[in-house]
Amino acid sequence: MLNDEKVILEERQGEVHENDTSTDLVGSKKLYIESYGCQMNFSDSEVVASIMNKNGYSTTRDIDEANVVLINTCSIRDNAEKRVRNRLTEFKKKKNDNPDLVVGILGCMAERLKKSLLEQEQLVDLVAGPDAYRDLPNLIDEVGTGQRAVNVLLSRDETYADISPVRLDKGGVSAFVTIMRGCDNMCSFCVVPFTRGRERSRDPETIVKECQDLFSNGYREVTLLGQNVDSYRWNITNKGQIKNPEKATVNFAELMELVAKVSPDLRVRFSTSHPKDMTDDVLYAMAKYENLCNYIHLPVQSGNSDVLKRMNRGYSREWYIKRIEAIHEIIPDCAISTDVISGFCGETDLEHSDTLSLMDFVKYDFAYMFKYSERPKTLAERKFEDDVPEEVKSSRLSEIIEKQLKFSLESNKKRIGLIEKVLIEGVSKRSDEHMCGRTSRNSMVVFPKGKGLKGEYVQVKIIDCTSATLMGEEINH
Ligand code: SAH
Ligand code: SF4
Ligand code: F3S
């Protein structure tokens, strides 16, 4: 049997660590890149690889043959930063053996800590924030002339729209497509608005083109990425093309339709929805197109309206429940997942029990669950005291996890006996004799090898499950 409970604990957003995001491409100089944090960072690393590729760098999986080592980092919680610091100390040892090696830090931690990583801590040669990746070749040249190079300028309009990312995962079935950058929401616990800057949307034409290219290259699934996809808005006047004023904007529901039409065989997912902004139009679009997957990640954070107010989330428990009811009504078989934070500032036992009771109401199919970690400069750090003791945060988190595991198992058990359409992602990591792939509802299915190949859709009858995985057998027609 597969021990999948671990997955829920390990794959929390903001803490994912993948070592093998590098691939081998032709070029004289070698780049090793490692990514931490959310999907957006993994997507950004592909933009970085593309920029570096044009400047004569091929990527490598072997750090010992690299001329340049880049680490794309996350600041979402303190432990995410600690992991990066440990890794940087290891890189520093490599640099002692090879003084010509250039070590650079990218992403959210680079933006947050800026020059201090160079000057006070002397951990790296180069610091580049999320909007400065076009400048990387210049920054590397500066390091070559003996300087320490920094660019942490945030932009109001950079979307890297014209850059065609170099796909690093080698999987070749599923790809991330960034549709917007930054965040304007200012949830009081969150560092992202400080590290990623103002929200801006990407030209829909370039998004559709990227998805078409992916489909032509054999990809069968795209995940559209933004911190709050529901506030995606492209104003055609941006390009001076305005002929028909009512059609002057493209919103998220309209963008989804455009991408859905690329091909009925291209599955479309998206992340992250925001409960305050998710419209019924998005839900109707999902119901209309079979290839818009029946899965919504709708982070709740807390089930108590006072805590939500302190978090500055912009919705109440009642509003959130109404959005869940709208999903059930418009897309009856839609899976729903969430993010939950335990022990936010001032959270009482009663407020925590509201989170548990909300979980009882929604019965999420999946959840990412975190202990509150105070982040410098955020509204919460300035306004509230981080006053819930560590043991209380931990025990509340355990209760939340325990409940979720029960609901994940219940949700999977309901699929036993059904036939699911599965997009095959490849051979199962745990057994050469099995294939794995996902259902529209984003459940992982493992089944013995049959006729279906990677990148193909097959019908699988579900016969067993754990809380994280469905097991089945391929049905031959
Ligand atoms: N834009 C997304 C979330 C991005 S961060 C949204 O609004 O839903 C991913 C998750 O990390 C958040 O949903 C939240 O649950 C968690 N998170 C963010 N800041 C945190 C903090 N300071 N401590 C603990 N968890 C945090
Ligand atoms: Fe952070 Fe809130 Fe923006 Fe999400 S919506 S990235 S939680 S500020
Ligand atoms: Fe982390 Fe930055 Fe993403 S803080 S979660 S890598 S936006």
Side-chain angles (χ1 to χ4, degrees):
M1 231 13 60
L2 309 166
N3 174 18
D4 295 295
E5 272 73 20
K6 248 180 105 208
V7 176
I8 292 198
L9 302 176
E10 281 176 359
E11 286 189 3
R12 291 177 193 162
Q13 194 174 7
E15 287 176 31
V16 182
H17 169 198
E18 280 266 328
N19 246 329
D20 58 348
T21 53
S22 347
T23 183
D24 306 299
L25 288 165
V26 192
S28 57
K29 291 171 286 180
K30 299 274 185 200
L31 163 70
Y32 174 90
I33 184 163
E34 202 166 278
S35 308
Y36 293 76
C38 62
Q39 296 162 336
M40 199 83 81
N41 255 14
F42 287 79
S43 171
D44 280 1
S45 291
E46 300 186 329
V47 166
V48 168
S50 172
I51 291 167
M52 294 291 284
N53 224 212
K54 288 214 169 68
N55 284 274
Y57 284 84
S58 58
T59 46
T60 173
R61 284 166 187 270
D62 179 5
I63 190 166
D64 290 321
E65 64 169 25
N67 307 92
V68 174
V69 171
L70 296 176
I71 178 163
N72 198 354
T73 61
C74 175
S75 290
I76 202 84
R77 283 168 290 277
D78 188 46
N79 54 7
E81 290 202 355
K82 282 202 179 110
R83 293 169 82 172
V84 169
R85 280 180 189 284
N86 289 340
R87 202 60 187 131
L88 283 174
T89 328
E90 286 168 32
F91 291 165
K92 213 171 169 183
K93 285 186 205 133
K94 299 243 173 250
K95 205 172 154 72
N96 290 340
D97 300 338
N98 172 11
D100 290 336
L101 182 69
V102 175
V103 178
I105 180 166
L106 315 178
C108 292
M109 223 175 133
E111 191 62 49
R112 196 177 83 70
L113 296 167
K114 302 186 169 64
K115 276 194 277 193
S116 82
L117 288 162
L118 284 176
E119 290 170 357
Q120 288 153 26
E121 309 189 43
Q122 309 224 332
L123 279 170
V124 291
D125 308 301
L126 176 163
V127 180
D131 290 341
Y133 299 149
R134 286 180 204 266
D135 200 24
L136 274 170
N138 300 328
L139 294 170
I140 290 168
D141 286 348
E142 275 178 36
V143 174
T145 62
Q147 302 167 61
R148 288 176 186 270
V150 187
N151 184 344
V152 286
L153 288 176
L154 286 171
S155 156
R156 276 184 169 256
D157 48 24
E158 177 63 273
T159 59
Y160 300 111
D162 56 310
I163 293 179
S164 158
V166 168
R167 304 291 161 186
L168 293 172
D169 63 352
K170 278 200 162 171
V173 177
S174 182
F176 296 131
V177 175
T178 299
I179 61 164
M180 59 205 292
R181 301 181 70 83
C183 184
D184 282 351
N185 278 323
M186 293 306 235
C187 301
S188 64
F189 51 80
C190 184
V191 78
V192 172
F194 303 92
T195 60
R196 294 264 164 179
R198 299 305 298 267
E199 181 185 290
R200 68 220 92 125
S201 297
R202 176 179 168 191
D203 183 342
E205 269 180 36
T206 68
I207 297 170
V208 170
K209 169 85 172 48
E210 187 173 328
C211 295
Q212 281 164 342
D213 290 348
L214 284 164
F215 187 74
S216 315
N217 287 322
Y219 283 80
R220 291 295 172 264
E221 182 176 87
V222 291
T223 304
L224 308 179
L225 295 181
Q227 292 297 351
N228 175 1
V229 289
D230 300 294
S231 66
Y232 175 89
R233 182 157 284 261
W234 174 258
N235 198 334
I236 291 173
T237 50
N238 292 0
K239 287 180 87 187
Q241 285 180 353
I242 182 155
K243 284 191 198 109
N244 190 349
E246 324 68 88
K247 291 251 159 98
T249 54
V250 177
N251 65 24
F252 183 58
E254 290 160 343
L255 177 73
M256 286 220 296
E257 292 215 27
L258 291 173
V259 178
K261 285 180 191 154
V262 167
S263 165
D265 285 333
L266 181 71
R267 275 188 173 172
V268 184
R269 302 184 184 279
F270 53 89
S271 186
T272 308
S273 303
H274 198 302
K276 80 177 162 62
D277 295 319
M278 189 185 70
T279 62
D280 285 355
D281 284 350
V282 168
L283 304 179
Y284 285 120
M286 290 173 72
K288 184 168 158 197
Y289 293 89
E290 196 258 342
N291 57 330
L292 293 183
C293 290
N294 281 0
Y295 170 62
I296 298 182
H297 181 60
L298 196 66
V300 66
Q301 316 298 359
S302 165
N304 175 275
S305 294
D306 291 331
V307 175
L308 288 169
K309 202 166 206 160
R310 295 203 291 282
M311 288 178 164
N312 200 27
R313 285 288 287 178
Y315 56 86
S316 62
R317 176 187 172 99
E318 292 68 34
W319 171 276
Y320 187 88
I321 288 176
K322 287 216 173 82
R323 297 321 296 143
I324 295 290
E325 285 169 346
I327 297 172
H328 288 320
E329 201 181 303
I330 299 170
I331 320 166
D333 194 29
C334 190
I336 304 174
S337 63
T338 201
D339 292 347
V340 184
I341 298 179
S342 81
F344 184 65
C345 310
E347 187 187 67
T348 62
D349 280 337
L350 218 62
E351 288 169 340
H352 164 63
S353 69
D354 280 345
T355 297
L356 296 174
S357 76
L358 187 88
M359 292 175 75
D360 286 330
F361 173 79
V362 182
K363 300 188 172 62
Y364 293 105
D365 299 278
F366 186 82
Y368 299 93
M369 298 155 283
F370 313 103
K371 269 192 277 187
Y372 173 59
S373 163
E374 185 178 78
R375 308 311 292 132
K377 289 196 188 155
T378 53
L379 275 175
E381 191 238 9
R382 285 181 279 142
K383 263 174 74 179
F384 308 121
E385 209 178 317
D386 180 13
D387 55 359
V388 177
E390 193 57 29
E391 323 80 76
V392 177
K393 283 183 186 171
S394 296
S395 69
R396 287 181 186 166
L397 180 65
S398 303
E399 285 176 44
I400 290 168
I401 292 175
E402 197 184 322
K403 195 175 268 304
Q404 185 50 46
L405 286 175
K406 193 180 100 205
F407 286 131
S408 295
L409 182 62
E410 255 176 43
S411 152
N412 279 350
K413 277 191 177 159
K414 285 195 195 138
R415 309 314 286 185
I416 294 177
L418 299 180
I419 293 170
E420 301 270 10
K421 182 176 171 184
V422 173
L423 172 60
I424 302 183
E425 290 179 6
V427 176
S428 162
K429 277 190 189 147
R430 292 166 210 201
S431 149
D432 288 347
E433 303 303 313
H434 289 74
M435 303 298 269
C436 66
R438 282 175 199 275
T439 67
S440 171
R441 291 165 46 89
N442 206 35
S443 300
M444 182 55 90
V445 187
V446 176
F447 54 98
K449 274 185 180 162
K451 289 196 176 137
L453 302 173
K454 185 165 121 179
E456 290 180 353
Y457 290 99
V458 284
Q459 301 290 334
V460 177
K461 181 162 185 191
I462 306 304
I463 51 177
D464 200 0
C465 71
T466 67
S467 64
T469 310
L470 301 173
M471 273 78 78
E473 46 196 36
E474 195 180 315
I475 310 262
N476 293 318
H477 290 286

